[in-house]
Amino acid sequence: MSTKNKGYSEEIITLMSDIQNSVYMPSKRVFVLLKQLEKCNETLKDNDLYGFIYYNYARDYSFKENHKELIKHLTKALYYLLRSDDKELLARAYNIFAVEASKNGCLEIAYEYLSIARSYVEED
């Protein structure tokens, strides 16, 4: 799990684990789990957790090939991840941007995003 537990409640840790295990099979279940996690985070207002939530929304939309929603949620994820300590998830978010740029034939931009992603992994 890329987001460190940071003393999260058992409920939050379980939801995060269930989301990570379910996101490879996009379904309504992922959205239900993400909504539950959002409710848990309403009181914490934790940047790592918001980054995790929006990253997984984006990842789910990437499997569904919904580019507009993918970019919307990935941008939100980056907003929070840039303010968090989770460099691994930040690198993964930039990697998704690289994949999307590559799919759209923008190889130079894809390379830039990949370089940014790599820099965060190398820092860690």
Side-chain angles (χ1 to χ4, degrees), residues 20-95:
Q20 286 185 318
N21 293 332
S22 300
V23 82
Y24 291 108
M25 298 171 282
S27 67
K28 290 181 181 178
R29 181 173 191 275
V30 174
F31 284 98
V32 169
L33 293 170
L34 286 166
K35 290 291 182 193
Q36 288 176 330
L37 191 55
E38 280 182 295
K39 285 189 180 206
C40 292
N41 196 31
E42 285 176 357
T43 55
L44 293 175
K45 305 233 183 274
D46 183 85
N47 285 333
D48 286 352
L49 211 44
Y50 277 131
F52 176 87
I53 292 166
Y54 290 118
Y55 168 80
N56 280 290
Y57 274 125
R59 197 164 79 161
D60 193 59
Y61 284 119
S62 74
F63 287 119
K64 294 177 181 177
E65 297 191 24
N66 184 335
H67 184 75
K68 184 178 177 181
E69 289 296 317
L70 164 75
I71 297 302
K72 176 179 140 184
H73 286 87
L74 199 51
T75 303
K76 285 182 181 180
L78 283 176
Y79 174 84
Y80 290 106
L81 290 170
L82 286 167
R83 290 157 178 76
S84 80
D85 296 327
D86 196 338
K87 302 301 181 200
E88 180 184 341
L89 201 54
L90 183 57
R92 288 178 184 208
Y94 275 111
N95 189 54

